[in-house]
C-alpha cells in the first residue's frame, strides 16, 4: 500500500494526478521487468489529461510535466483505463475512514 501526505487545500483533480505520479514513481523504484503497464483511474479529468498529454490548467501542468519527464527518461509506456468510482478498490480505504 502506498501512503502520501496531501495538502488539504489542493484541488481534487491535482490530487488524483499526483496519485498517478506516485504510482509511477513506485513502479520505477520497484524496477519492474515490464516497461509497459495499465493504470486504472476513476477521474475523467486525469484520464483525459494523461491521454492527450497536455492541459490548459496551470495547476495540473507541473504535475503532468513531471509524469511525462519520468516516463520518458525511464523508457516507460503506460495505458490509462477508466473504472467507476464504486468499483475502484484503491478508494476503499478513503471511503471507510
Amino acid at each position: 500500500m502506498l501512503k502520501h501526505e496531501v495538502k488539504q487545500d489542493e484541488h481534487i483533480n491535482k490530487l488524483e494526478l499526483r496519485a498517478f505520479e506516485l504510482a509511477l514513481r513506485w513502479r520505477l523504484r520497484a524496477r519492474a521487468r515490464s516497461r509497459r503497464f495499465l493504470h486504472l483511474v476513476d477521474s475523467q479529468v486525469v484520464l483525459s489529461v494523461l491521454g492527450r498529454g497536455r492541459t490548459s490548467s496551470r495547476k495540473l501542468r507541473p504535475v503532468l510535466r513531471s509524469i511525462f519527464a519520468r516516463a520518458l527518461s525511464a523508457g516507460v509506456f503506460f495505458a490509462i483505463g477508466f473504472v467507476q468510482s464504486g468499483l475502484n478498490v484503491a478508494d476503499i480505504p478513503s471511503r471507510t475512514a
Side-chain angles (χ1 to χ4, degrees):
M1 180 180 280
L2 298 173
K3 187 176 179 180
H4 183 70
E5 234 176 272
V6 296
K7 297 176 185 174
Q8 292 298 324
D9 60 341
E10 284 188 315
H11 194 274
I12 186 64
N13 294 334
K14 188 172 182 180
L15 292 173
E16 293 275 356
L17 196 56
R18 281 189 187 274
F20 176 81
E21 182 184 28
L22 181 64
L24 176 63
R25 286 174 38 206
W26 178 81
R27 282 187 167 272
L28 295 177
R29 267 196 319 264
R31 300 201 188 275
R33 282 191 281 156
S34 176
R35 289 319 219 181
R36 297 177 184 193
F37 67 92
L38 169 67
H39 189 86
L40 299 175
V41 296
D42 63 356
S43 167
Q44 291 280 339
V45 172
V46 171
L47 179 72
S48 176
V49 165
L50 288 172
R52 285 181 300 165
R54 58 187 162 83
T55 180
S56 60
S57 169
R58 286 176 290 184
K59 292 184 178 186
L60 296 181
R61 211 174 297 141
V63 182
L64 188 64
R65 283 183 183 149
S66 173
I67 288 169
F68 282 109
R70 287 177 196 277
L72 184 64
S73 67
V76 171
F77 299 94
F78 55 83
I80 305 297
F82 182 75
V83 62
Q84 294 177 357
S85 290
L87 301 175
N88 188 355
V89 295
D91 275 355
I92 291 172
S94 65
R95 284 191 219 114
T96 58

